[in-house]
Amino acid sequence: MNTASASDSLRTFEAPAGVPVVDVDPYTDEFLTDPYDAHQRLREAGPVVWIPAYGIYACARHDSVHAVFNDHATYISGAGVGLANFNQETPFRPKSLILEADPPSHTKARAILARILSPKTVTQIRATFTAEAESLVDRLLVRQAAGETIDAVKDLSEVYPLKVFPDAVGVGEANRENLLLYGNMIFNAFGPRNERLQKSAELVQPVTAWIMAHCQRENLLPGGFGDLIYQAADAGEITHAEAPMLVRSFLSAGVDTTVNGIGNAVLCLANHPEQYALLRADHSLARPAFEEALRFESAVQTFFRTTSKDTELFGMQIPKDSKIVLFLASANRDERQWPDPDRFDIQRRPVGHMAFGSGIHGCVGQVVARLEGEVVLAALAKRVSRIELLGAPKRRLNNTLRALASMPVRLIPV
């Protein structure tokens, strides 16, 4: 079981013959705060490398990350998408029916969620999501005019997804901040059993019952995404025991990633005023700006796969039941894929970035996440002439996410 943190043990795992070794620990505070130099080292070492601290293979180039994501038969998700190998140990919670499953069971669950989160659905909710974004920015400007300091994380990137997405799922309005605690713990759990996971698990312990209760049909409003999952159970597409687990997938993955995607996008635009000026001049760039922010500062930094058989990847022999960590954020800054990859450019249109994964396990909720990011950036562009940082933003370190804890800003109104 390769779940021990390097800081917990002096032991490292012997490298397989012929595989380049990169001696990094992707779960240290230093790495998580600023991973980009280490990503460069990983990419330069080769398409497949070995990280001895955890005894895992790693892919950090765009082509190798894409290759693994798009061969779901060889590189499976059912053994866990984190460091823990569910073929060798019991999952800490029942496995996700969508994230930690393989065909054919994954196919069944995925079809239901894809139907619920279809482009038609996005069209239907667009007006509501847009109105909420514009109303929120208006309220922030009023508060700022009254003398308040606005935190772009606490007051915008957390508030907006916690309003529109649970509304769409059909979750009641009380205590929604519990979703942030739960998501933070889930994404920490994809890494090692380190202090970061322990602390987030302690914080989420008191709210676990609330999360589980809000996956039950009686606590979901009629007509929402959650209710539609139970209607699929009524139709026999899944069992009624599986329905709350699919709702849980919404609640654990549908908020944190979007919170951090929006927060990182606002930070990028604040740090690159010339790019924000382009968005101000052309509001249709809101969607491309969000896509470029996802590439430039990927909300999800890593995911794992497990080999289902002995295989060869870019000339490297990898045994069955091996863990492979995929550095999505590194793939998104790969100079082999993107010209001038360390430049934030909202006119880039970075088709093929890995921020939502790829292949059959690509993020099923990405259409909604993209809608949220687009309408928030458009609402800002219409009402705010410039975003000024009031001091350095603070990161919230997570084993998997590129997250922000706070970002005080001054929003200069139009």
Side-chain angles (χ1 to χ4, degrees):
M1 293 185 291
N2 300 344
T3 55
S5 167
S7 61
D8 295 336
S9 173
L10 296 177
R11 184 164 81 100
T12 58
F13 295 83
E14 185 177 348
V19 181
V21 175
V22 183
D23 192 10
V24 298
D25 183 345
Y27 299 107
T28 64
D29 288 1
E30 293 75 18
F31 190 105
L32 294 172
T33 299
D34 186 4
Y36 296 111
D37 286 347
H39 287 169
Q40 178 74 22
R41 287 176 57 201
L42 288 160
R43 289 195 302 270
E44 287 305 310
V48 182
V49 302
W50 177 258
I51 297 179
Y54 299 95
I56 52 176
Y57 295 86
C59 295
R61 293 182 184 178
H62 187 277
D63 58 357
S64 54
V65 169
H66 183 272
V68 172
F69 271 140
N70 286 274
D71 184 357
H72 63 268
T74 303
Y75 307 101
I76 61 173
S77 297
V81 296
L83 180 59
N85 188 337
F86 295 164
N87 289 341
Q88 299 173 354
E89 59 186 279
T90 303
F92 76 97
R93 55 152 173 63
K95 291 199 297 183
S96 165
L97 296 179
I98 189 75
L99 196 62
E100 298 158 339
D102 299 303
S105 59
H106 171 268
T107 308
K108 177 180 61 174
R110 174 98 186 186
I112 295 168
L113 297 190
R115 184 176 70 234
I116 293 171
L117 300 175
S118 67
K120 179 182 177 181
T121 299
V122 171
T123 300
Q124 292 169 341
I125 63 178
R126 186 180 186 90
T128 300
F129 277 41
T130 300
E132 289 288 353
E134 294 178 345
S135 175
L136 175 55
V137 175
D138 286 340
R139 294 197 304 273
L140 294 181
L141 290 172
V142 170
R143 288 171 51 189
Q144 181 179 260
E148 289 190 45
T149 297
I150 301 304
D151 188 320
V153 175
K154 302 296 184 185
D155 299 322
L156 177 62
S157 70
E158 289 183 357
V159 169
Y160 181 72
L162 278 178
K163 169 60 178 170
V164 296
F165 191 74
D167 276 0
V169 175
V171 174
E173 292 191 8
N175 301 315
R176 287 181 176 182
E177 64 278 2
N178 290 340
L179 297 174
L180 294 177
L181 293 173
Y182 187 66
N184 186 50
M185 183 275 292
I186 292 297
F187 283 101
N188 270 324
F190 295 149
R193 293 171 180 167
N194 55 13
E195 185 180 3
R196 202 171 291 115
L197 172 59
Q198 181 181 345
K199 287 182 176 179
S200 63
E202 290 170 358
L203 288 172
V204 86
Q205 196 68 36
V207 305
T208 302
W210 184 93
I211 298 291
M212 296 304 113
H214 283 77
C215 296
Q216 302 302 316
R217 189 172 209 166
E218 60 269 22
N219 293 319
L220 295 165
L221 298 174
F225 296 161
D227 182 51
L228 294 176
I229 289 174
Y230 277 94
Q231 289 183 33
D234 293 341
E237 296 178 66
I238 54 173
T239 68
H240 281 89
E242 291 172 326
M245 294 176 65
L246 267 190
V247 176
R248 189 193 70 186
S249 296
F250 269 140
L251 298 183
S252 61
V255 175
D256 258 62
T257 49
T258 313
V259 165
N260 295 308
I262 292 172
N264 288 332
V266 173
L267 178 58
C268 288
L269 292 167
N271 279 331
H272 299 84
E274 80 289 351
Q275 296 297 311
Y276 187 66
L278 292 174
L279 175 58
R280 286 268 301 121
D282 181 1
H283 299 162
S284 71
L285 287 172
R287 172 70 174 272
F290 188 60
E291 295 290 339
E292 173 67 350
L294 290 170
R295 182 199 70 82
F296 191 77
E297 290 273 25
S298 303
V300 177
Q301 294 276 293
T302 52
F303 264 136
F304 285 75
R305 294 293 187 262
T306 308
T307 50
S308 64
K309 59 185 178 183
D310 292 349
T311 189
E312 180 182 302
L313 181 63
F314 288 86
M316 300 298 168
Q317 300 297 322
I318 304 178
K320 178 183 178 180
D321 215 27
S322 297
K323 277 285 174 177
I324 305 177
V325 60
L326 307 176
F327 286 91
L328 284 62
S330 175
N332 285 344
R333 297 260 193 129
D334 188 351
E335 53 281 349
R336 298 160 191 80
Q337 180 70 18
W338 320 101
D340 200 3
D342 294 325
R343 179 170 56 89
F344 178 71
D345 177 7
I346 69 170
Q347 295 176 310
R348 184 189 298 269
R349 288 175 163 77
V351 176
H353 69 68
M354 294 289 112
F356 290 118
S358 185
I360 69 165
H361 284 92
C363 174
V364 72
Q366 62 186 273
V367 289
V368 177
R370 286 183 157 117
L371 172 63
E372 291 182 49
E374 176 190 347
V375 299
V376 166
L377 296 188
L380 285 167
K382 292 173 184 176
R383 290 160 172 76
V384 176
S385 64
R386 196 165 68 254
I387 304 169
E388 295 181 352
L389 295 176
L390 301 176
K394 293 181 180 178
R395 286 277 166 200
R396 171 172 60 84
L397 300 186
N398 181 281
N399 286 334
T400 300
L401 299 174
R402 182 82 169 150
L404 287 158
S406 68
M407 187 188 353
V409 296
R410 181 181 293 113
L411 303 176
I412 309 301
V414 172

